[in-house]
Amino acid sequence: AILRVGAMKTTFENTLTWNLSNREYLRAGLAWNRYFSQSGAELGRGTFYNLEAGHRFRIEYPDLNVRIFQTRANFAATATDDPLMASLRPAALNTGSDAYLSSSYTQWGIAGGWGQTLQQRYTRAWRPFFDISLFHNSLTGSGRGVRLGVAGSVAGQDHLVFHFRQFTGTPG
């Protein structure tokens, strides 16, 4: 919560999807994050590795899918303790820069949903999509997540997506 109020994050992310067939796919992703206070002091870095394998039971909308996934997150705090961030930190938390970043963790789980292709593919009509997941996190134990959204076009070939997501049992 302290990072949401008093910090900034820069992210570089790359994801590769390999379609094994019309129904099966593999996805691998790598992301690098750097965290800064609002005054520009570096708080730390994070590296995320994502692997996913999925099967589409139905290809056309509403496409039905199930997937398994694993994420590894590695965090490294810097030695800087910014006065602005220190003023936001409750007294009960650790002192120093490691109070702001989560501990490194591994998370794996299973998910299923429909309409997932709408998040990347063009659709003229406004259509809903849904996803639900169950997972285990090495820091927080079991958790679950849900994502609800809608995608469509406003004018021409544009692609607009709105979604709401909520997860329980995730660190930081």
Side-chain angles (χ1 to χ4, degrees):
I2 296 172
L3 288 177
R4 290 183 187 142
V5 173
M8 303 178 287
K9 174 176 76 168
T10 60
T11 301
F12 178 77
E13 183 175 1
N14 191 9
T15 302
L16 174 67
T17 302
W18 181 22
N19 289 316
L20 300 172
S21 71
N22 213 12
R23 296 185 183 273
E24 287 82 26
Y25 69 90
L26 296 174
R27 184 172 292 140
L30 183 59
W32 296 273
N33 293 344
R34 291 180 64 195
Y35 303 93
F36 300 92
S37 72
Q38 291 290 329
S39 61
E42 186 173 1
L43 301 173
R45 298 170 186 252
T47 306
F48 297 84
Y49 307 91
N50 300 301
L51 296 173
E52 181 179 316
H55 176 77
R56 299 175 186 103
F57 292 102
R58 185 178 156 90
I59 299 171
E60 296 300 319
Y61 183 84
D63 54 303
L64 301 170
N65 68 65
V66 65
R67 64 187 195 283
I68 57 172
F69 58 89
Q70 181 174 5
T71 300
R72 174 68 189 165
N74 296 319
F75 294 99
T78 60
T80 309
D81 192 12
D82 184 77
L84 174 66
M85 295 299 289
S87 69
L88 297 172
R89 184 178 58 232
L93 280 182
N94 312 5
T95 58
S97 61
D98 60 347
Y100 308 118
L101 298 180
S102 171
S103 298
S104 298
Y105 65 87
T106 301
Q107 183 171 289
W108 54 267
I110 187 167
W114 52 268
Q116 296 298 305
T117 57
L118 294 177
Q119 295 176 72
Q120 292 89 20
R121 292 187 187 158
Y122 171 79
T123 177
R124 177 75 181 130
W126 284 90
R127 296 180 172 171
F129 58 88
F130 172 78
D131 185 63
I132 189 165
S133 60
L134 300 171
F135 56 85
H136 179 78
N137 186 293
S138 61
L139 290 178
T140 59
S142 297
R144 62 191 176 282
V146 65
R147 183 173 44 205
L148 305 167
V150 62
S153 175
V154 177
Q157 295 294 316
D158 63 335
H159 183 72
L160 187 60
V161 178
F162 293 102
H163 75 269
F164 165 81
R165 63 182 182 175
Q166 183 174 10
F167 296 94
T168 64
T170 59

